[in-house]
Amino acid sequence: MGDNVILVGFMGAGKSSVGRLLARRMGRCFVETDDMITAREGRSIPAIFAERGEAYFRSLEEETVRLLALKSGDVIATGGGLYCREGRPEAMRALGTVVWLAGDFDVLYERARRMGERPMLTGRTREEVAAIYQGRETYYRQADLTVDTTRRNTDQVVTQVLLALKPRLTLSSPGRGPGQGA
Ligand code: S3P
């Protein structure tokens, strides 16, 4: 198994902010799959959705998953839908420890609506987004570890992730445990 830490979860779970802080605390590099996609495409995620559609974006995610095989020891934040495809949980677990940043749907939905432009929310009712969430939950549940983000700020979530990771990190890579990085 790879030694990356991979954050999965629905929009609004805080994967980017938690990932950035987690990487800093662990002394590791931080990578975002959405950033890999925008860098390769030279345009934003909303622009990709608007100009080429969701199916094209999903094909870029597919390619990104293949590129992730080159990563080691990184903290990787994934886009909310990347993990939720046939075979993805297995593919991602091969790259490292998968952590689901979970939370109450309503809290996630409100956070997602407030922050950033999210094409998956555009033109959809709350009920339609809830249906997407329900379809994805069975995938998220296959993560190695789950941390609830509902009543926690970024700092508190990072602390919980580090606690959850601790037994695995000490077992798999002595000397690179939480708090021992830069
Ligand atoms: C998506 C979530 C987004 C981004 C894209 C599609 C999704 O990432 O990958 O807009 O399908 O849930 P965040 O989860 O960081 O918002």
Side-chain angles (χ1 to χ4, degrees):
M1 189 187 84
D3 61 352
N4 301 286
V5 174
I6 301 141
L7 303 180
V8 303
F10 204 62
M11 294 172 274
K15 300 177 297 285
S16 307
S17 41
V18 168
R20 200 167 294 116
L21 185 58
L22 181 67
R24 200 182 311 150
R25 294 244 178 105
M26 296 178 78
R28 295 192 179 196
C29 291
F30 176 58
V31 179
E32 280 198 80
T33 58
D34 279 351
D35 282 351
M36 291 169 71
I37 289 173
T38 52
R40 279 173 79 86
E41 282 288 296
R43 52 187 161 174
S44 69
I45 303 287
I48 297 170
F49 270 76
E51 290 160 26
R52 300 294 307 269
E54 183 181 347
Y56 178 70
F57 174 75
R58 299 299 171 200
S59 73
L60 296 174
E61 284 192 322
E62 177 85 48
E63 192 182 322
T64 305
V65 170
R66 281 196 292 274
L67 291 172
L68 289 179
L70 303 170
K71 307 281 176 203
S72 86
D74 291 352
V75 173
I76 302 169
T78 59
L82 181 138
Y83 191 62
C84 308
R85 291 281 175 286
E86 220 36 54
R88 284 291 158 75
E90 295 77 6
M92 302 305 279
R93 274 204 305 266
L95 302 175
T97 304
V98 179
V99 184
W100 175 25
L101 298 186
D104 288 347
F105 171 73
D106 283 314
V107 174
L108 300 177
Y109 180 64
E110 283 312 317
R111 277 194 211 139
R113 265 170 25 119
R114 271 200 320 267
M115 293 181 307
E117 196 185 335
R118 290 191 159 91
M120 290 300 288
L121 300 183
T122 309
R124 286 195 168 91
T125 63
R126 181 198 166 280
E127 286 63 38
E128 287 167 337
V129 179
I132 295 175
Y133 176 78
Q134 275 150 24
R136 288 179 176 181
E137 223 184 347
T138 52
Y139 290 93
Y140 295 142
R141 285 191 188 287
Q142 296 177 52
D144 298 303
L145 304 168
T146 300
V147 170
D148 188 12
T149 67
T150 308
R151 271 169 288 277
R152 293 183 169 130
N153 62 30
T154 303
D155 199 65
Q156 291 166 330
V157 174
V158 169
T159 302
Q160 292 304 313
V161 173
L162 286 170
L163 279 173
L165 283 170
K166 204 168 182 176
R168 290 172 175 261
L169 294 177
T170 8
L171 278 177
S172 61
S173 49
R176 291 197 69 189
Q180 296 182 12

